[in-house]
Amino acid sequence: MARLAAYRAKRDFTKTSEPSGRTARRGGSSYVVQKHDASHLHYDFRLELDGVLKSWAVTKGPSLVTGEKRLAVHTEDHPLDYGDFEGTIPEGQYGAGTVMIWDRGIWEPEGDPEDGYAKGRLNFTLKGKKLRGAWHLIRIAPRPHRHQESWLLIKGDDAYARSEDEPDILEEAPDSAKTGRSLQEIAEETGS
Ligand code: MN
C-alpha cells in the first residue's frame, strides 16, 4: 500500500526481521513506544491512526513533568504489526540497533483524531503500562533545512504527572513492557 512506501523503501526485508507490513481497515487505537538503541538512543512514539502507526522519534524520550516539551520529529508511517516488534536490526541496515517495546497500550483521542493530526494538534489520553493520563502532540513551525516536521510531546496536568523532583520514568522503568528484558538482554537474545 502506498502509505507504507516510505517505510518499505528504507528497508531490505531479506536482511532485517522487522515486519514488511500491512495496513488494516479496523479502527483500532493501539499505542506503542519503542526504545531504539540506534546510532543515537531515542524513543519512537507511535499512535494507530487510519490503519497505520503514525510515528515520531523523541530523542530525549517522554517526560512526566507537566509542560516539559520534548522534541518529537515526525517519521514515516509504520505498519500496525511493527508495534509488536522487539529485536535487533542488523548492522548496515536502516535503523541498525536494538528495538525494545518500552511501553504499549491504547490511546483515546479528544475529538476527531484525523482532524487533529491534520491541524497539528493532538490531545489524547494514554492507557499504557508506563504512560497514562493526558498528553499533547503539537506541531511547531518548520525548522530551516529540515524536511521532517517537528512536533512537541508534552504531558498534560493531571494525577499521572510528576514534579521535577520525582523520579524520571525513563530511569525508573527502563525495561521492556512486553518481555521485561533490558536492551542488553534483547541484543543478546537472552532473558525471555
Ligand atoms: Mn527509531
Side-chain angles (χ1 to χ4, degrees), residues 25-182:
R25 269 171 219 277
R26 75 184 171 90
S29 54
S30 63
Y31 135 78
V32 64
V33 180
Q34 283 160 315
K35 187 172 174 178
H36 187 183
D37 189 15
S39 49
H40 301 281
L41 180 73
H42 60 273
Y43 292 76
D44 290 303
F45 189 92
R46 311 190 198 279
L47 300 175
E48 178 176 354
L49 186 62
D50 202 16
V52 294
L53 291 172
K54 295 294 177 191
S55 298
W56 293 261
V58 185
T59 308
K60 291 186 173 174
S63 169
L64 295 185
V65 179
T66 306
E68 196 163 304
K69 302 178 178 84
R70 291 289 160 93
L71 180 65
V73 176
H74 202 287
T75 58
E76 76 274 18
D77 293 348
H78 278 53
L80 291 182
D81 46 3
Y82 203 92
D84 202 42
F85 177 73
E86 184 169 273
T88 298
I89 302 168
E91 199 112 357
Q93 299 306 302
Y94 180 74
T98 307
V99 176
M100 170 201 286
I101 296 175
W102 181 75
D103 193 25
R104 63 178 176 181
I106 61 164
W107 73 294
E108 290 176 352
E110 187 185 293
D112 175 20
E114 279 162 39
D115 191 44
Y117 177 75
K119 287 182 173 152
R121 180 158 193 125
L122 283 169
N123 301 316
F124 52 97
T125 299
L126 289 181
K127 295 181 173 173
K129 284 184 159 183
K130 298 173 185 173
L131 302 187
R132 302 188 70 81
W135 291 80
H136 311 286
L137 264 170
I138 299 161
R139 190 169 57 215
I140 54 176
R143 296 191 298 172
H145 314 299
R146 294 292 296 257
H147 69 279
Q148 291 168 302
E149 290 177 357
S150 295
W151 294 56
L152 298 172
L153 177 66
I154 308 169
K155 178 76 193 81
D157 189 8
D158 61 17
Y160 298 104
R162 291 184 179 179
S163 72
E164 280 174 59
D165 307 329
E166 291 177 280
D168 182 339
I169 187 71
L170 304 177
E171 289 165 20
E172 184 187 66
D175 297 333
S176 171
K178 181 186 181 186
T179 60
R181 295 184 296 176
S182 66

